């Protein structure tokens, strides 16, 4: 007997490769979306700082815009720089 | 002086002769004084101031005659009954009775007739007296003023009183019998219209008197009937003697007719027919009973008509009330019956009875464990629609269906039934209702709408409406709202819909979501956008997966990642937004694992910083089995595919070995193998040893031994709610372990109270009942993580 697989449909769930489960700012799961967004994933991506902390992009942008003088990572208080 | 006395006595003689008609032979010398003599005599009395006693004396003698002669004679006609009325009155008895009745009435009439001239003479004298009232002594004046009734009516009153005082028991029954027979005869001989459908001409027997057509006595009966009525009327006794019997007969016939016409048939409107019959047949008959033509009579007939109509409505309502459950079930075919009933209900006072009776029959026929939830729902929906016609304000519905709603709340699968029929592919009741797309009206989000446009046509609620509940405008008629409001909140439904949607998406693996999106939009109209956000993400996941699949399976990617021994598609979920999926272990064939790995790499390359977690046990596999003598195509689940895949390497597997390779527990594996067994592709050669059937087996050999139950375990890919609940209880496990380590052994009550004290206070954790805790702990005992003895739980010794 020979089994020929003509097509295989499987199920997977995606997740961000991050060192934490929840966004430090909005406390929502990374795999969910920030409070302003409706759709997770592409519509509400994560960004990493050079300090290796990561946030929902909308959350960190909101934070950075509210800081007048220095733009610091809200977790470690180092200067925030986007990881290339 | 003596002369005066003599003239007086002569005058008195004349008067007593004139006013005492000769019954029998009593002082019957044929002499009747003329009116002039009479008048002269009365004149004489008048001169002596005693004329007024003539009237008094007349009534005295009349009463005496009636009491002693006329009335006993009348009733004596019916004496034969005491002897012969034991059995039920057969035809011969009936016709005999007719004659007797007729004779009695005739005699009564003729003997009473004798008094009529006296009365009219007396009336004249009375009027003469009145003209000279002033000259009378005061005693006579008061006497004259007292008699405000005319003499004739007073005479009739006396007759009625004395006659009815002696009425025998049997008489009314016999009278009813008589009138009922007369009614039947009347209907047959009635030339105007035929209300009966059967053709009477063809019958040999007259249906009324049950004689041959030639011997039909109907005409005779009718003549008797007319004559009796006529005499009674002249005696002014018709209403008093026969009124009851006539009404009773009429009621009986209305009841019979309504039963015969409408019972069990709900599809036609019978009200016009019934009313026509009432007007045509029954009232005609009653008119013939009371036939006369003065103003009094018109009023009487009007009253009777009203009374009969009312009784007709009442009868109809009663008949329909008993059948209301069936009428509801048969809706909309039974619409006509409901509209009739509505008309009748407005005119009668049976609303409360109707509510009680319907409530009872619903409870008796619907609300017991033998009825499927789906059937209860169907009946409920029917009731909503049907009672909407009966009572547009919805109060009856509210009152009647309260027990149904209460009962549905107790059923576990109610929500599931409602949701699945909402999105039923067929033209289900609810699905079409959903299409209307009106927003849900629930108690909690209702805002009073004061600016009612039609305030002029406002009607108060019926008196039986529950004042604590909402007003008329709020008592919505939207079926979906009514169903959802069984639970009072939308959440349960939304949650259930999510599970249902996930289930459907993950069992068909159809990437075409147009239909689902349409349903979702419709549901959003009803349940609101925010509630269904989760489902929106789910559908977007499906669309995204489709795009990613095309991308990954494109030529460039195949070249880069070597995903390509067979087409591999994925359904990529945003786990946060999907219901919890069932977790199972399954080691897929190596080739598939590799393909999944490649797909994952391709995905990671495509979406930076994101990765995939495969749920290998879920999915759908399309495969060809190339056997020696045939090629078969199947669409199966991954576990089935894996099992059959392994039979490629060797044709004989023991359950143990297969379980080791696939990492599926033997019990579950056996169930899955059963699928291939039923298809005749695998065979259990010995206990727990399965072998591949390369050639199509003979059909006979297949029966009997193999063919295990085909029953697939719970087909849902979702974790069952019970599993989820246990997951939640898992939070308490570490507390329990800590407790038992420190305190040794504890009874369940202690564990529960300590958990309540320390663990259940946080806002996030849900409480758990002692019953749930017992189940949870018992499972731990089965898993040998706990020991239970003598009512105490403790940890097993390490």
């Amino acid at each position: 007997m020979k089994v020929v697989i003509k097509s295989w449909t499987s199920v997977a769930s995606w997740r961000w490769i991050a060192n934490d489960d929840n966004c430090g700012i909005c406390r929502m799961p990374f795999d969910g979306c920030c409070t302003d967004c409706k759709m997770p994933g592409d519509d509400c991506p994560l960004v990493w700082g050079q300090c290796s902390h990561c946030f929902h992009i909308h959350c960190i942008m909101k934070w950075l815009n509210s800081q007048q003088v220095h733009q610091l990572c809200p977790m470690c208080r180092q200067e925030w720089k986007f990881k290339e | 002086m003596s002369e005066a006395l003599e003239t007086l006595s002569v005058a008195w003689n004349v008067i007593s002769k004139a006013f005492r008609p000769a019954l029998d032979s009593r002082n019957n010398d044929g002499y009747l004084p003329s009116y002039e003599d009479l008048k002269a005599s009365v004149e004489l009395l008048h001169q002596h101031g005693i004329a007024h006693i003539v009237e008094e004396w007349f009534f005295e003698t009349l009463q005496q005659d009636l009491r002693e002669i006329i009335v006993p004679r009348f009733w004596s006609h019916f004496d034969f009954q005491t002897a012969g009325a034991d059995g039920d009155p057969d035809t011969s008895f009936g016709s005999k009775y007719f004659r007797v009745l007729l004779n009695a009435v005739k005699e009564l009439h003729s003997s009473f007739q004798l008094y009529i001239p006296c009365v009219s003479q007396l009336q004249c004298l009375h009027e003469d007296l009145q003209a000279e009232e002033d000259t009378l002594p005061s005693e006579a004046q008061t006497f004259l003023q007292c008699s405000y009734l005319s003499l004739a009516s007073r005479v009739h009153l006396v007759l009625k009183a004395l006659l009815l005082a002696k009425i025998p028991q049997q008489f009314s029954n016999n009278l009813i019998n008589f009138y009922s027979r007369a009614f039947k005869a009347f209907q047959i001989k009635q030339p105007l219209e035929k209300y009966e459908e059967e053709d009477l001409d063809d019958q040999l027997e007259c249906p009324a008197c049950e004689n041959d057509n030639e011997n039909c006595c109907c005409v005779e009966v009718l003549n008797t009937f007319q004559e009796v009525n006529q005499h009674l009327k002249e005696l002014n006794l018709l209403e008093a003697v026969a009124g009851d019997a006539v009404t009773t007969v009429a009621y009986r016939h209305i009841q019979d007719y309504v039963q015969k016409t409408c019972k069990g048939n709900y599809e036609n409107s019978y009200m016009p027919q019934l009313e026509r019959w009432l007007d045509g047949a029954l009232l005609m008959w009653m008119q013939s009973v009371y036939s006369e033509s003065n103003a009094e009579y018109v009023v009487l007939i009007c009253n009777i008509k009203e009374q009969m109509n009312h009784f007709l409505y009442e009868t109809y309502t009663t008949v329909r009330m008993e059948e209301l459950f069936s009428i509801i079930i048969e809706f909309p075919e039974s619409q006509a019956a409901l509209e009739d009933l509505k008309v009748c209900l407005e005119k009668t006072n049976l609303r409360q009875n109707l509510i009680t009776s319907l409530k009872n029959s619903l409870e008796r026929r619907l609300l017991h464990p033998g009825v499927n939830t789906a059937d209860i729902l169907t009946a409920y929906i029917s009731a909503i629609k049907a009672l909407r016609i009966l009572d547009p304000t919805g109060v009856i519905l509210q009152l009647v269906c309260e027990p149904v709603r209460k009962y549905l709340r107790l059923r576990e699968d109610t929500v599931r039934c409602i949701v699945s029929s909402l999105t039923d592919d067929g033209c289900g009741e609810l699905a079409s209702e959903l299409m209307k797309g009106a927003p849900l009206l629930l108690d909690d989000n209702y805002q009073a709408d004061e600016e009612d446009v039609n305030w002029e046509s406002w009607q108060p609620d019926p008196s039986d409406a529950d004042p604590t509940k909402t007003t008329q405008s709020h008592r919505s008629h939207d079926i979906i709202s009514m169903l959802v409001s069984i639970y009072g909140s939308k959440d349960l439904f939304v949650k259930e819909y999510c599970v249902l949607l996930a289930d459907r998406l993950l069992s068909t693996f159809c990437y075409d979501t147009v239909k689902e999106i349409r349903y979702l939009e419709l549901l959003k109209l009803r349940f609101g956008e925010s509630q269904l956000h989760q489902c929106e993400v789910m559908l977007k996941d499906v669309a995204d997966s489709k795009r990613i699949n095309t991308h990954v399976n494109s030529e460039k990617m195949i070249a880069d990642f070597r995903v390509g021994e067979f087409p591999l598609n994925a359904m990529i979920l945003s786990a946060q937004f999907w219901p919890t999926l069932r977790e199972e272990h399954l080691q897929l064939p190596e080739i598939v694992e590799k393909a999944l790995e490649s797909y994952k790499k391709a995905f990671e390359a495509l979406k930076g910083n994101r990765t995939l977690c495969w749920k290998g046990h879920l999915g759908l596999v399309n495969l060809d089995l190339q056997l020696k003598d045939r090629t078969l195509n199947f669409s199966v689940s991954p576990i089935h595919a894996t099992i059959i895949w392994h039979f490629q390497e060797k044709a004989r597997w023991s359950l143990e070995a297969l379980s080791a390779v696939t990492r599926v527990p033997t019990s579950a594996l056996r169930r899955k193998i059963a699928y291939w067994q039923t298809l005749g592709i695998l065979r259990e050669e010995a206990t727990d040893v399965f072998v591949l059937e390369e050639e199509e087996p003979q059909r006979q050999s297949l029966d009997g031994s193999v063919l295990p139950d085909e029953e697939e375990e719970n087909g849902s890919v979702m974790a069952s709610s019970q599993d989820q609940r246990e997951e939640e209880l898992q939070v308490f496990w570490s507390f329990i372990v800590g407790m038992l380590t420190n305190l040794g052994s504890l009874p369940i009550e202690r564990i529960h109270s300590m958990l309540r004290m320390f663990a259940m206070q946080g806002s996030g954790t849900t409480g758990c009942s002692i019953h749930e805790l017992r189940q949870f702990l018992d499972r731990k005992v089965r898993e040998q993580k706990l020991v239970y003895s003598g009512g105490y739980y403790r940890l097993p010794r390490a």
Side-chain angles (χ1 to χ4, degrees):
Chain A
M1 182 195 66
K2 193 166 162 7
V3 178
V4 180
I5 299 170
K6 296 176 81 178
S7 77
W8 190 294
T9 310
S10 193
V11 178
S13 60
W14 61 265
R15 62 177 180 81
W16 289 100
I17 307 171
N19 49 13
D20 203 353
D21 287 339
N22 296 328
C23 168
I25 297 174
C26 69
R27 304 306 297 160
M28 298 301 275
F30 282 134
D31 301 341
C33 46
C34 75
T35 47
D36 296 335
C37 280
K38 288 242 177 277
M39 295 295 166
D42 294 339
D43 292 351
C44 190
L46 304 191
V47 281
W48 278 260
Q50 283 186 351
C51 56
S52 87
H53 288 120
C54 67
F55 304 99
H56 286 124
I57 190 167
H58 302 123
C59 297
I60 191 69
M61 289 314 288
K62 221 197 281 179
W63 165 256
L64 294 177
N65 287 337
S66 69
Q67 303 295 299
Q68 267 104 39
V69 193
H70 301 292
Q71 302 211 314
L72 304 178
C73 167
M75 301 293 270
C76 60
R77 298 283 160 189
Q78 294 180 46
E79 194 184 348
W80 177 268
K81 280 189 185 126
F82 286 102
K83 198 172 175 182
E84 292 308 312
Chain B
M1 187 65 198
S2 67
E3 191 191 338
L5 263 181
E6 201 164 310
T7 41
L8 262 184
S9 123
V10 169
W12 184 251
N13 238 340
V14 170
I15 291 169
S16 62
K17 266 271 194 291
F19 289 140
R20 191 151 195 198
L23 292 167
D24 305 330
S25 52
R26 186 184 63 188
N27 48 21
N28 192 1
D29 47 10
Y31 165 71
L32 249 178
S34 69
Y35 184 67
E36 280 70 34
D37 289 348
L38 190 63
K39 193 157 183 208
S41 310
V42 174
E43 202 64 34
L44 191 71
L45 286 183
H46 180 53
Q47 281 162 15
H48 291 268
I50 51 169
H52 59 276
I53 65 159
V54 173
E55 206 176 305
E56 240 178 307
W57 172 82
F58 172 72
F59 275 102
E60 197 59 39
T61 46
L62 173 66
Q63 280 186 31
Q64 199 183 341
D65 284 351
L66 283 173
R67 198 176 291 129
E68 281 164 15
I69 305 168
I70 302 176
V71 170
R73 218 185 269 170
F74 176 75
W75 291 125
S76 71
H77 282 280
F78 304 97
D79 280 348
F80 73 98
Q81 273 193 296
T82 39
D86 298 340
D88 68 358
D90 56 5
T91 323
S92 65
F93 171 80
S95 51
K96 183 180 167 201
Y97 188 79
F98 287 174
R99 276 195 299 281
V100 170
L101 182 68
L102 181 62
N103 289 340
V105 171
K106 258 184 184 161
E107 199 194 43
L108 179 69
H109 181 249
S110 60
S111 45
F112 193 74
Q113 212 60 42
L114 293 174
Y115 288 88
I116 298 300
C118 311
V119 172
S120 55
Q121 280 178 344
L122 197 59
Q123 183 74 37
C124 291
L125 292 173
H126 185 86
E127 276 155 19
D128 292 347
L129 265 183
Q130 250 171 347
E132 301 168 30
E133 200 179 322
D134 302 339
T135 64
L136 291 174
S138 63
E139 189 196 349
Q141 275 185 14
T142 36
F143 180 78
L144 272 178
Q145 279 154 10
C146 284
S147 54
Y148 42 88
L149 283 175
S150 78
L151 282 174
S153 52
R154 277 175 68 193
V155 167
H156 283 129
L157 208 61
V158 169
L159 171 66
K160 198 193 282 181
L162 291 173
L163 190 69
L164 295 185
K166 290 271 157 85
I167 197 162
Q169 259 183 333
Q170 277 291 314
F171 185 67
S172 68
N173 273 342
N174 289 317
L175 213 56
I176 287 170
N177 206 349
F178 168 73
Y179 275 106
S180 145
R181 196 176 293 268
F183 178 70
K184 277 186 199 151
F186 184 81
Q187 264 196 320
I188 302 304
K189 296 300 165 199
Q190 162 111 280
L192 295 174
E193 244 181 294
K194 273 194 189 141
Y195 296 95
E196 314 298 317
E197 264 141 49
E198 64 232 84
D199 198 353
L200 297 172
D201 300 337
D202 291 347
Q203 292 180 340
L204 287 172
E205 245 181 24
C206 170
C209 54
E210 286 157 13
N211 284 339
D212 294 346
N213 270 346
E214 286 113 67
N215 301 334
C216 175
C217 57
C218 289
V219 182
E220 190 194 328
V221 168
L222 270 185
N223 290 339
T224 318
F225 164 72
Q226 296 289 11
E227 225 169 317
V228 168
N229 285 336
Q230 193 55 40
H231 287 314
L232 283 176
K233 204 169 324 162
E234 278 167 23
L235 291 170
N236 232 349
L237 282 173
L238 186 57
E239 189 56 37
V241 172
D244 244 14
V246 171
T247 323
T248 312
V249 169
Y251 279 0
R252 273 191 200 167
H253 278 99
I254 290 177
Q255 262 167 348
D256 286 354
Y257 190 74
V258 171
Q259 290 264 359
K260 202 170 65 188
T261 332
C262 337
K263 189 140 195 170
N265 190 338
Y266 321 127
E267 288 172 30
N268 301 316
S269 174
Y270 285 107
M271 234 36 234
Q273 188 194 337
L274 290 176
E275 276 168 350
R276 221 169 42 232
W277 173 83
L278 192 75
D279 268 352
L282 196 72
L283 284 174
M284 285 287 274
W285 177 70
M286 295 191 82
Q287 277 171 18
S288 79
V289 174
Y290 297 105
S291 64
E292 213 174 305
S293 53
N294 52 27
E296 206 181 316
Y297 160 78
V298 174
V299 173
L300 179 72
I301 288 294
C302 267
N303 279 343
I304 288 177
K305 190 172 172 176
E306 226 162 82
Q307 195 186 345
M308 290 300 140
N309 265 320
H310 185 81
F311 187 76
L312 177 72
Y313 295 136
E314 238 173 42
T315 313
Y316 185 84
T317 313
T318 317
V319 168
R320 285 299 189 225
M321 212 155 72
E322 284 157 20
E323 306 171 316
L324 199 51
F325 183 79
S326 320
I327 292 179
I328 284 175
I329 297 299
E330 280 186 27
F331 191 83
E333 278 75 31
S334 58
Q335 181 148 3
L338 282 164
E339 275 161 5
D340 278 357
L341 186 57
K342 183 187 175 205
V343 173
C344 293
L345 206 57
E346 280 164 6
K347 293 178 178 165
T348 55
N349 194 20
L350 290 169
R351 194 180 157 100
Q352 207 52 50
N353 301 21
L354 179 122
I355 290 173
T356 320
S357 118
L358 180 59
K359 212 179 198 171
N360 287 341
S361 58
L362 278 175
E363 270 173 42
R364 204 177 56 247
R365 295 178 64 173
L366 215 52
L367 307 185
H368 55 81
V371 189
N372 287 335
T373 309
D375 293 339
I376 300 181
L377 282 172
T378 316
Y380 183 41
I381 293 168
S382 254
I384 294 175
K385 288 183 165 176
L387 294 180
R388 186 189 290 177
I389 287 176
L390 197 59
D391 171 31
T393 62
V395 174
I396 292 185
L397 178 67
Q398 205 176 31
L399 292 172
V400 162
C401 289
E402 201 43 49
V404 181
R405 294 162 65 84
K406 215 178 261 172
Y407 184 80
L408 280 174
R409 228 171 285 157
L410 296 178
R411 286 246 172 155
E412 274 176 9
D413 53 345
T414 305
V415 183
R416 176 155 286 233
C417 271
I418 295 173
V419 171
S420 61
S421 58
L422 265 180
T423 52
D424 207 0
D425 283 340
C427 41
E429 201 89 61
L430 288 177
S432 54
E433 198 63 29
L434 183 64
M435 300 298 169
K436 291 183 188 165
L440 274 187
L441 283 176
L442 290 183
D443 285 357
D444 50 340
N445 62 0
Y446 177 72
Q447 280 129 26
D449 185 8
E450 295 296 341
E451 298 154 45
D452 199 345
V453 190
N454 298 321
W455 58 272
E456 278 173 311
S457 58
W458 179 85
Q459 293 267 322
D461 276 342
S463 57
D464 47 356
D466 184 353
T468 60
K469 294 265 172 70
T470 52
T471 59
Q472 187 174 353
S473 51
H474 187 187
R475 225 173 281 118
S476 90
H477 282 152
D478 178 56
I479 291 175
I480 296 179
S481 302
M482 300 228 29
L483 289 176
V484 172
S485 68
I486 289 178
Y487 287 89
S489 88
K490 303 170 184 174
D491 299 355
L492 266 173
F493 286 85
V494 172
K495 207 168 145 198
E496 191 63 39
Y497 177 69
C498 287
V499 172
L500 198 82
L501 179 65
D503 222 11
R504 208 155 34 201
L505 291 175
L506 293 187
S507 57
T508 59
F509 289 96
C510 166
Y511 289 95
D512 183 19
T513 52
V514 178
K515 208 180 71 198
E516 297 294 351
I517 287 173
R518 201 169 99 81
Y519 276 128
L520 185 61
E521 291 300 325
L522 286 168
L523 284 170
K524 271 204 286 198
L525 282 177
R526 291 194 166 260
F527 290 90
E529 192 106 3
S530 57
Q531 304 262 1
L532 289 162
H533 172 227
Q534 203 183 342
C535 301
E536 230 174 317
V537 175
M538 282 159 66
L539 289 179
K540 184 169 177 285
D541 280 344
V542 175
D544 284 351
S545 305
K546 188 180 173 187
R547 214 177 43 245
I548 296 168
N549 282 333
T550 3
H551 204 81
V552 170
N553 287 325
S554 69
E555 278 175 37
K556 179 174 168 291
M557 291 300 248
I558 290 174
D560 286 357
F561 296 98
R562 281 174 292 136
V563 195
E565 301 210 23
F566 53 85
L568 176 66
N569 290 311
M571 193 66 95
I572 300 164
L573 320 178
S574 307
Q576 298 285 331
F577 296 85
W578 286 68
T580 319
L581 300 178
R582 186 158 49 90
E583 285 296 340
E584 258 170 44
H585 263 300
L586 174 63
Q587 183 67 51
L588 294 171
E590 205 179 331
I591 169 175
V592 182
E593 291 285 358
K594 264 190 197 152
L596 293 180
E597 195 57 33
S598 313
Y599 192 105
K600 183 171 158 184
K601 289 221 172 71
F603 179 83
E604 282 168 2
L606 199 62
K607 308 265 182 191
N609 287 322
R610 279 203 268 169
T611 188
L612 290 180
C613 308
W614 289 106
K615 305 197 181 301
H617 60 286
L618 298 176
L620 189 70
V621 182
N622 189 301
L623 47 76
D624 271 348
L625 287 192
Q626 294 173 350
L627 294 153
K628 252 184 202 160
D629 53 349
R630 64 221 148 112
T631 301
L632 300 167
N633 180 273
F634 295 102
S635 283
V636 291
S637 74
I639 187 163
H640 290 132
T642 309
I643 291 166
I644 206 68
W645 181 268
H646 287 299
F647 277 89
Q648 269 185 130
E649 302 154 29
K650 51 181 193 173
R652 180 171 284 101
W653 282 89
S654 75
L655 199 60
E656 291 286 316
L658 201 57
S659 168
V661 175
T662 56
R663 292 172 52 195
V664 175
T666 48
S667 57
L669 193 61
R670 176 178 279 283
R671 277 205 300 278
K672 298 296 177 187
I673 290 174
Y675 172 76
W676 295 116
Q677 276 180 290
T678 53
L679 290 167
I681 291 165
L682 294 185
R683 181 163 61 83
E684 188 164 13
E685 195 183 41
T687 312
D688 288 349
V689 178
F690 293 90
V691 63
L692 181 73
E693 291 273 3
E694 276 282 0
E695 279 157 51
E696 187 152 23
Q698 297 301 308
R699 211 60 218 166
Q700 312 73 307
S701 70
L702 238 170
D703 300 337
S705 59
V706 252
L707 276 190
D709 55 327
E710 279 179 65
E711 180 204 339
E712 280 283 294
E713 75 197 283
N714 177 15
S716 171
V717 297
M718 286 331 120
S720 74
S721 58
Q722 198 182 347
D723 292 347
Q724 285 183 34
R725 183 70 195 144
E726 276 184 5
E727 203 75 4
E728 283 167 27
L729 286 178
Q730 199 63 38
V731 178
F732 299 127
W733 179 235
S734 56
F735 283 95
I736 297 170
V737 171
M739 227 183 275
L740 294 175
T741 320
N742 289 327
L743 300 169
S745 56
L746 291 172
I748 188 155
E749 290 80 15
R750 276 293 294 284
I751 298 177
H752 189 246
S753 65
M754 287 180 84
L755 280 179
R756 233 185 12 227
M757 223 182 310
F758 302 115
M760 292 183 200
Q761 281 174 338
S763 55
T765 51
T766 44
C768 89
S769 69
I770 201 158
H771 175 72
E772 275 180 313
L773 183 66
R774 189 186 300 279
Q775 278 185 339
F776 177 70
L777 292 180
D778 286 349
R779 199 174 59 125
K780 290 293 179 194
V781 171
R782 276 199 301 280
E783 286 168 8
Q784 299 184 342
K785 289 180 181 157
L786 272 183
V787 175
Y788 179 72
S789 67
Y792 286 80
Y793 289 94
R794 63 182 167 81
L795 292 172
R797 280 182 203 94

